[in-house]
Amino acid sequence: MKQNTTPARVRFAPSPTGRTHLGSGRTALYDYLIARQTGGQFILRIEDTDQKRYVPGAEQELMDSLRWLGLEWDEGPDVGGPFAPYRQSERKHIYQQYAQQLVNEGFAYYCFCSPERLAHVRQEQQKRKEPPRYDGLCRNIGSEEARRRVNDGEAHVIRFKMPHTGSITGVDLLRGPITVENKNLDDYIIVKSDGLALYHLAAMVDDHLMQITHVLRGSEWLPTFPLHVHIYRALGWQEPIWVHLSVFLKPSGKGKMSKRDTELLKQDGFSIFLSDLKGLGYLPEAVNNWIALMGWSYDDHTEFFTLEDLIEKFSLERLNPAPAAINFSKLDHFNGLHIRNLPPDNLAQRILPFFLSAGLEPDFERLKKITPLIQERITTLDEAPEIAGFFFREELSLDPAELVGKNMTPAESAQALKAAEQILEALPELSPTSAEEPLRNLAERLNLKAGQLFGILRIAVTGQRVSPPLFESMEIIGKDMVMKRIKQALEALDVPA
RNA sequence: GCCCCCAUCGUCUAGGGGACCAGGACGUAGCCCUUUCAAGGCUAAGACCGGGGUUCGAAUCCCCGUGGGGGCACCA
């Protein structure tokens, strides 16, 4: 907040090749935070230069997920902006001119090698235990010959002409200077034979043209980071601030998430996909809080953050470069915290869909009365119909065995229930203040613990061993229905009076 | 095989030479509160990967191991 007063332009640049997961969510969140914190812009750019991997619907899912998290972008494919278009497939022509510039100035060259030859070369290198790299066959073809062959229509790609000597140093904000010997780098392809630029070129060009000030990306880009610095320098551009975020490891901490791990997780009611989390009953507030803290910390004790808090308090300097294992029990914890932080009426609105999908049709006014009773009893929204469904069901399925009080016989239980029925029946109105005291007195008279009597009543009225507070529940259910359920319970107990 | 990154409780982390017999959180166990379940409160167990340096002094700085992660595509 203090030092970062210059507005940052930050972009989240996913490729629409699959479902959006936690790692992407965190990168987007950090992007958003920096932009908002500095009064800059958060930009969404779709990196779809590889049409072979394009997944229909992925882009929509991505945008829905980001909006669900509350990360609204200022510029993007759907909202436009001063640097449109924001989809790389619509920017093909732009990259060509920079590739051409690199070739003309000797930083890149045409390569006519076939994929087959490349595969063969690689194979040989593997055999000799050499690092697999381009052998440089086309590197020294004269510019005139190359130009002629290109004009003749010969298939070709464009490669970056990596220097054979020297080294290059790029600066990562979290790790400091990273120096690599050029000889350990490859002559990377930057334009494919179909004329389309690869990430290495396209992303650099777009970041520069879109005046991006901070590049946040996964640490899987660290190995090609030196290439990107080379490209920036060859083009004579000023580099952005580079920040490579750590990866997320599977919950065990051993390795990154695999397809198999993802399946396993689903069986436990978890998911790494943003679009699943909503249906699982997680709050976007909790997800943001949770992922923000995976690789970032504010101090040694503050852990609860709203999006607004994060905008104010986030700082790149406090990012941790070490990989972090995903911990879903912590997500549950944050979800509970944020549920309790919600105004009850707001919570009521959020749990409504879960009642609907459970086949119940709650009256919203009534639901609003119930919400405070379950607010501190649920950790995910989908638990709401489980714990409070009885409020909206006409009939309960009662198990007579459950109706028997602790350390009591069925006859004793029936007798206690009968007595309670009479007391409640006599009440002009049913409320916690009117019902609790006489029932406690009853328990005492019958030589029962309050818990024994209340337990029987709880089962009779809610059908559940575990429920929201008994008297508050009875008040909302209403006297008529309460009396009806007690009668049904007495019938179920089926003990001759 | 080669290159790069990382390394504090099971997990997420605080710590940037003395304030540390290392603090917080999740989870776990116990207790309190209590009409159930929660929530809340209290307590407990639990870590500086190893070895060398530097220094009066190292979790903190350097080196070497080891371990973990990532990358080596006409994918991003």
Side-chain angles (χ1 to χ4, degrees):
Chain A
M1 261 328 245
K2 322 90 208 163
Q3 69 268 68
N4 264 343
T5 36
T6 29
R9 285 183 56 80
V10 197
R11 113 267 115 129
F12 176 56
S15 60
T17 52
R19 306 189 60 194
T20 308
H21 53 79
L22 259 19
S24 300
R26 183 186 59 170
T27 304
L29 172 63
Y30 290 166
D31 283 331
Y32 173 87
L33 295 176
I34 295 165
R36 289 292 166 271
Q37 179 173 86
T38 60
Q41 288 79 230
F42 173 45
I43 298 140
L44 176 63
R45 186 175 74 218
I46 305 296
E47 311 228 318
D48 56 350
T49 52
D50 185 8
Q51 61 273 77
K52 284 193 296 292
R53 297 207 307 155
Y54 183 80
V55 174
E59 191 178 316
Q60 190 57 48
E61 193 220 24
L62 184 253
M63 295 202 279
D64 290 346
S65 295
L66 291 186
R67 289 208 164 100
W68 177 67
L69 285 177
L71 312 180
E72 207 65 48
W73 48 97
D74 306 296
E75 301 170 26
D78 58 334
V79 298
F83 299 88
Y86 291 92
R87 221 176 254 115
Q88 289 190 328
S89 58
E90 296 165 20
R91 301 172 62 81
K92 295 174 189 172
H93 56 285
I94 301 175
Y95 312 126
Q96 264 145 24
Q97 96 185 65
Y98 292 100
Q100 198 54 245
Q101 183 184 331
L102 288 172
V103 171
N104 292 156
E105 296 177 4
F107 290 111
Y109 63 93
Y110 293 106
C111 171
F112 303 93
C113 294
S114 69
E116 293 73 31
R117 187 183 108 77
L118 261 22
H120 178 74
V121 168
R122 234 186 324 260
Q123 225 172 52
E124 290 298 307
Q125 289 166 329
Q126 302 275 40
K127 242 181 257 174
R128 278 176 272 136
K129 303 218 166 189
E130 284 171 17
R133 272 203 273 276
Y134 181 58
D135 62 357
L137 182 70
C138 298
R139 192 170 159 121
N140 296 314
I141 294 175
S143 59
E144 263 165 52
E145 182 193 339
R147 169 68 49 203
R148 198 198 68 237
R149 289 169 70 175
V150 167
N151 287 341
D152 285 350
E154 190 171 341
H156 63 275
V157 300
I158 297 178
R159 287 181 181 274
F160 190 82
K161 196 171 196 169
M162 190 61 66
H164 286 326
T165 59
S167 64
I168 184 142
T169 302
V171 179
D172 174 86
L173 188 70
L174 311 183
R175 291 160 254 255
I178 294 173
T179 302
V180 177
E181 297 291 321
N182 289 329
K183 66 176 188 317
N184 287 325
L185 265 15
D186 204 353
D187 282 4
Y188 297 94
I189 293 174
I190 55 176
V191 175
K192 292 182 277 186
S193 56
D194 63 3
L196 274 170
L198 249 37
Y199 173 91
H200 300 137
L201 211 219
M204 300 313 115
V205 168
D206 285 343
D207 285 344
H208 173 255
L209 259 25
M210 293 181 180
Q211 298 173 17
I212 300 303
T213 58
H214 300 66
V215 170
L216 273 65
R217 31 138 69 159
S219 63
E220 64 269 23
W221 290 113
L222 238 21
T224 43
F225 175 37
L227 166 68
H228 302 149
V229 174
H230 264 122
I231 290 177
Y232 257 89
R233 296 198 185 156
L235 259 8
W237 296 338
Q238 201 200 344
E239 290 172 60
I241 292 170
W242 303 98
V243 186
H244 293 92
L245 269 16
S246 64
V247 292
F248 283 166
L249 270 27
K250 62 173 104 174
S252 64
K254 303 261 176 276
K256 62 173 180 181
M257 293 294 303
S258 69
K259 191 107 188 264
R260 165 112 182 106
D261 298 315
T262 307
E263 292 301 315
L264 246 40
L265 219 48
K266 216 163 253 177
Q267 290 167 21
D268 293 334
F270 298 122
S271 175
I272 57 163
F273 298 116
L274 259 20
S275 56
D276 285 341
L277 262 17
K278 182 182 183 180
L280 289 171
Y282 291 103
L283 262 35
E285 289 92 330
V287 175
N288 279 331
N289 196 157
W290 178 52
I291 56 182
L293 254 18
M294 297 184 67
W296 175 81
S297 64
Y298 177 64
D299 58 20
D300 65 347
H301 65 280
T302 315
E303 295 220 304
F304 183 88
F305 297 97
T306 63
L307 235 204
E308 276 61 45
D309 293 335
L310 290 172
I311 290 172
E312 188 192 321
K313 293 175 170 151
F314 180 74
S315 65
L316 291 169
E317 287 69 24
R318 293 192 62 86
L319 246 24
N320 184 344
I326 299 173
N327 182 349
F328 280 94
S329 67
K330 199 138 187 175
L331 170 59
D332 279 339
H333 171 249
F334 280 122
N335 211 53
L337 249 32
H338 279 93
I339 281 177
R340 274 166 254 138
N341 189 241
L342 250 28
D345 285 4
N346 183 316
L347 212 211
Q349 293 198 9
R350 302 214 208 189
I351 57 178
L352 181 59
F354 289 88
F355 281 90
L356 262 20
S357 55
L360 297 165
E361 288 172 17
D363 170 72
F364 191 62
E365 288 308 308
R366 195 174 217 214
L367 187 59
K368 285 204 287 195
K369 283 193 211 142
I370 290 159
T371 303
L373 264 41
I374 63 171
Q375 187 151 20
E376 60 189 34
R377 270 165 253 270
I378 56 174
T379 63
T380 50
L381 300 178
D382 62 320
E383 291 168 3
E386 289 166 26
I387 188 175
F390 66 88
F391 283 107
F392 305 104
R393 263 189 281 269
E394 203 48 40
E395 298 294 328
L396 304 180
S397 53
L398 288 178
D399 177 358
E402 294 278 306
L403 281 162
V404 177
K406 205 173 180 191
N407 299 323
M408 293 169 73
T409 66
E412 288 167 338
S413 303
Q415 190 192 11
L417 190 52
K418 187 85 189 155
E421 180 191 29
Q422 282 164 8
I423 287 172
L424 291 171
E425 187 66 72
L427 256 29
E429 52 152 346
L430 185 47
S431 74
T433 42
S434 71
E436 182 163 355
E437 194 167 337
L439 286 174
R440 276 189 191 281
N441 292 338
L442 170 67
E444 206 171 319
R445 237 183 306 129
L446 295 176
N447 231 318
L448 294 174
K449 298 211 167 187
Q452 288 176 294
L453 211 215
F454 296 170
I456 298 170
L457 270 172
R458 183 185 309 283
I459 294 279
V461 173
T462 70
Q464 299 171 184
R465 198 170 266 289
V466 171
S467 83
L470 181 58
F471 302 110
E472 283 81 352
S473 297
M474 290 200 297
E475 181 178 37
I476 293 170
I477 291 170
K479 189 173 166 184
D480 291 351
M481 180 62 91
V482 168
M483 299 320 295
K484 186 182 146 203
R485 286 186 176 172
I486 290 176
K487 279 188 184 64
Q488 286 174 336
L490 283 166
E491 284 166 27
L493 267 172
D494 193 31
V495 175

